[in-house]
Amino acid sequence: MSHRAHLFSLRIAHAFREACVDERYTGGRFLKDLMAGVTVGIIAIPLAMALAIASGVAPQYGLYTAFIAGFVIALFGGSRYSISGPTAAFVVILYPIAQSYGLGGLLLATLMSGVLLVIMAVMRLGRFIEYIPESVTLGFTGGIAVVIATLQVKDFFGLSVETMPEHYWDKLAVLAQQLPALDSMSTLIAAITLAVMLLWPRLKTPVPPHLPAVIIGSLLAIWFNANGAAIETIGSRFSYLLPDGSTGAGIPPFLPEFAWPWQQLNAQGEPVGLSWNMVRELLPAAFAIAMLGAIESLLCAVVLDGMTGKRHSANSELMGQGIGNIVVPFFGGITATAAIARSAANYRAGAQSPVAAMVHALVVLLALVSLAGILAYLPMPAMAALLIMVAWNMSEAPKAVHLLKTAPRSDVLVFLTCFGLTVALDMVIAITTGVLLAAVLFMREMAQMTKVTDITDNKRVVQAGLPKGWRVFKINGPLFFAAADRVFGELADLSREARGFVLYMDGVTVLDAGGLAALNKLIDQCRKNGTEIMIADLQFQPLRALARAGLKPEPGVSSFYPSLASALEALSARRNAPQMV
């Protein structure tokens, strides 16, 4: 199947069926999938917990997301190597929802976003994601990275901040105010964890750096706490209810139960409920989640295509992401999408099919039921250091710096706008403004490329002499609303004293409604001035636009010719005819 066909196709479980049914799936391939899935599952465990905490909910909800959504999306999606679960990109959207509407609101928004993703897949909108400029993508991902890193300052330095303000600058003010009271032991653990993650890759081992970093940080926290320190851990911050009514520390060592998302608690500790008002309040957030999920998952699939030489099905991937985000809230899971770093690690570990992602999900499930007690010892400063590293990696800072140094000013302006709005206001506003600004700047550049040139004296084009008072003009570039008024206005000025002119339009590829209106305006002005216009060499789209508009030749005012040569021949015939002199 061609890449274009993949973009437009929609087949549920496309990647699984292509890799495991259409192709021969052998025991050897399964063994490779098994090893890759175990590797990525181990990587995903601390990340899923850290990202849930950063999103404003307890760590077990990140694990629920990794193994439920990770399995469902792998089964129903369109990219054979993608690993889905909680990702850092969603933190800036999910955290405010969790603060305002609690876990119930977050799960309801996730469910709604899943429905929107399915609608996008059915409408075959997967291919339109590629129209988002890189300057917009780098801008909002960089802004998200800054916000995530800022949110980790509290745990990194062990600061006592009860609640974080809503606005970014207020967050900075509160953190700066509390920074002198930092906890030295928490800071030391976070710094050592971060240093291990930075230095570990130099050893060139297959073990991902965050695993030894988190283990070392946890051992230090256990030692410090045994000697009288008060390092916060997952076990000391989070708790859960046991069936007998007692409380357990850390994360519950059992599977989540089915529950309606709208029956989960809001920020006030009451069921969030399902009402039209609640749906209306959460709809902007759900739309933002769906858009970001689509962008992240399809960007991940494109990156994997480049690494593997395979081709994903964009609409099938959106369908899988939608189904996953519809299913997971009923079991307490938060928003999921494809994670580029984990997906790349999956491929490098030898994955052959979506079975590797399913194995990864089962590894996370096994860790939840068997290692919950051990995971409770993970220190919050180490988790903050881990998320700071995740934020740095997702920021793609080298790419952003390269863009700032080498890209045109318009792209730099779009990047800075998206970055600033993501940090200061909201990611939805940032993406919307960035795309609109990029479109306007692109139209301006395209409009500036459209030019009108007087070629009357160009002997290579106009070989025969012209009747007195006649000129030939050539238009190059698209005649759309942003360019047409200027171009035809220039023509009107250039031809004001002319008896007539030939308009050579072989370089015009597009003529839109604005261009048609401007052309009609020029013809009206020519009619008033007694100037004749001969239009020559129209390409297919402009010719079709003129035909649909019903624009017809008008004797003595306007006429149409298939080529410049035929228009010049008609003029020559007039000049040689006695009655035309």
Side-chain angles (χ1 to χ4, degrees):
M1 186 182 291
S2 68
H3 179 51
R4 184 173 178 82
H6 272 303
L7 283 174
F8 285 93
S9 66
L10 175 58
R11 185 170 70 151
I12 296 177
H14 170 84
F16 180 81
R17 290 159 65 180
E18 183 182 60
C20 301
V21 179
D22 299 344
E23 299 175 8
R24 185 165 174 262
Y25 192 71
T26 62
R29 293 183 69 196
F30 173 72
L31 187 60
K32 291 181 178 179
D33 278 337
L34 180 64
M35 297 303 295
V38 170
T39 301
V40 182
I42 294 171
I43 294 172
I45 293 165
L47 282 174
M49 298 170 67
L51 291 167
I53 294 168
S55 300
V57 296
Q60 63 264 27
Y61 300 112
L63 296 176
Y64 300 162
T65 307
F67 79 76
I68 296 173
F71 190 96
V72 173
I73 294 172
L75 177 60
F76 292 106
S79 177
R80 67 170 70 190
Y81 301 109
S82 290
I83 299 290
S84 296
T87 62
F90 282 117
V91 169
V92 294
I93 304 178
L94 304 188
Y95 184 81
I97 300 173
Q99 296 299 301
S100 301
Y101 298 96
L103 176 64
L106 185 53
L107 299 185
L108 188 55
T110 298
L111 173 62
M112 292 165 60
S113 73
V115 173
L116 291 173
L117 283 166
V118 169
I119 293 172
M120 291 168 66
V122 172
M123 294 177 66
R124 307 296 201 277
L125 298 182
R127 65 191 180 93
F128 291 107
I129 301 299
E130 64 191 36
Y131 294 121
I132 297 178
E134 185 179 40
S135 52
V136 173
T137 305
L138 286 176
F140 79 75
T141 53
I144 289 170
V146 170
V147 174
I148 292 172
T150 303
L151 291 172
Q152 306 319 306
V153 171
K154 170 181 173 290
D155 287 330
F156 192 98
F157 294 105
L159 304 179
S160 298
V161 180
E162 291 293 330
T163 56
M164 290 290 283
E166 180 181 354
H167 300 293
Y168 182 76
W169 305 115
D170 295 333
K171 289 184 177 75
L172 286 184
V174 169
L175 292 171
Q177 186 179 4
Q178 294 293 326
L179 198 57
L182 62 84
D183 181 74
S184 58
M185 294 294 99
S186 296
T187 305
L188 179 61
I189 288 173
I192 291 174
T193 304
L194 188 59
V196 172
M197 282 189 286
L198 292 171
L199 299 174
W200 187 265
R202 297 185 181 183
L203 299 179
K204 301 187 184 304
T205 68
V207 179
H210 72 272
L211 291 181
V214 169
I215 291 171
I216 291 171
S218 300
L219 293 174
L220 284 173
I222 293 171
W223 184 47
F224 288 157
N225 284 338
N227 286 277
I231 309 297
E232 258 202 310
T233 64
I234 285 178
S236 65
R237 178 176 294 187
F238 299 100
S239 61
Y240 60 92
L241 286 176
L242 291 165
D244 61 4
S246 59
T247 302
I251 61 176
F254 41 79
L255 297 179
E257 296 180 353
F258 177 91
W260 300 107
W262 47 88
Q263 291 181 353
Q264 299 280 10
L265 302 183
N266 60 18
Q268 289 73 41
E270 301 172 352
V272 70
L274 182 62
S275 65
W276 171 245
N277 286 336
M278 180 57 65
V279 170
R280 186 176 58 189
E281 288 180 27
L282 291 174
L283 188 58
F287 179 77
I289 293 171
M291 285 301 299
L292 183 57
I295 293 169
E296 284 285 300
S297 60
L298 295 182
L299 281 178
C300 178
V302 169
V303 170
L304 291 170
D305 286 352
M307 294 173 63
T308 66
K310 302 292 183 181
R311 287 291 177 264
H312 72 284
S313 170
N315 294 308
S316 302
E317 179 65 7
L318 288 183
M319 177 63 74
Q321 295 289 337
I323 294 172
N325 282 285
I326 289 173
V327 171
V328 76
F330 291 93
F331 299 93
I334 60 175
T335 308
T337 191
I340 294 177
R342 275 164 273 171
S343 301
N346 181 45
Y347 171 69
R348 293 191 187 104
Q352 300 290 302
S353 75
V355 172
M358 298 178 194
V359 172
H360 134 273
L362 296 176
V363 170
V364 176
L365 169 62
L366 182 63
L368 174 68
V369 297
S370 61
L371 299 177
I374 296 174
L375 296 176
Y377 288 102
L378 294 177
M380 299 308 300
M383 303 298 273
L386 171 61
L387 284 174
I388 287 175
M389 197 67 195
V390 169
W392 169 258
N393 290 332
M394 78 166 292
S395 72
E396 296 192 272
K399 270 191 179 181
V401 171
H402 180 73
L403 183 142
L404 289 171
K405 289 181 177 179
T406 62
R409 289 183 180 179
S410 58
D411 287 319
V412 173
L413 177 61
V414 170
F415 168 80
L416 293 175
T417 300
C418 283
F419 180 86
L421 290 176
T422 301
V423 172
L425 295 177
D426 178 77
M427 194 202 70
V428 180
I429 295 174
I431 293 178
T432 304
T433 304
V435 170
L436 291 176
L437 180 60
V440 169
L441 293 174
F442 175 76
M443 286 188 290
R444 188 190 69 172
E445 291 175 3
M446 292 298 293
Q448 290 173 346
M449 290 173 62
T450 304
K451 298 186 181 299
V452 58
T453 309
D454 188 342
I455 60 171
T456 305
D457 298 325
N458 188 333
K459 298 303 181 183
R460 289 181 300 175
V461 181
V462 184
Q463 297 176 354
L466 296 174
K468 185 177 181 180
W470 278 81
R471 304 174 74 176
V472 180
F473 299 106
K474 179 177 175 61
I475 299 178
N476 277 310
L479 282 174
F480 64 109
F481 64 92
D485 277 335
R486 174 181 59 81
V487 168
F488 287 125
E490 289 178 16
L491 273 172
D493 292 338
L494 290 170
S495 61
R496 193 175 300 278
E497 304 299 328
R499 178 182 172 186
F501 62 92
V502 179
L503 199 56
Y504 183 28
M505 295 182 65
D506 79 319
V508 177
T509 55
V510 174
L511 182 69
D512 72 350
L516 278 170
L519 178 59
N520 279 316
K521 185 177 177 182
L522 175 66
I523 293 173
D524 287 343
Q525 192 165 348
C526 288
R527 186 184 298 110
K528 292 177 183 177
N529 296 338
T531 304
E532 185 177 350
I533 176 173
M534 302 172 71
I535 300 173
D537 216 338
L538 285 164
Q539 292 199 33
F540 177 73
Q541 192 280 333
L543 185 62
R544 185 177 61 177
L546 290 175
R548 291 186 65 181
L551 189 63
K552 297 178 180 179
E554 185 178 340
V557 177
S558 63
S559 54
F560 298 89
Y561 296 86
S563 65
L564 177 62
S566 60
L568 295 177
E569 285 176 9
L571 270 180
S572 179
R574 290 188 193 183
R575 183 181 60 183
N576 296 330
Q579 68 270 25
M580 297 297 292
V581 176

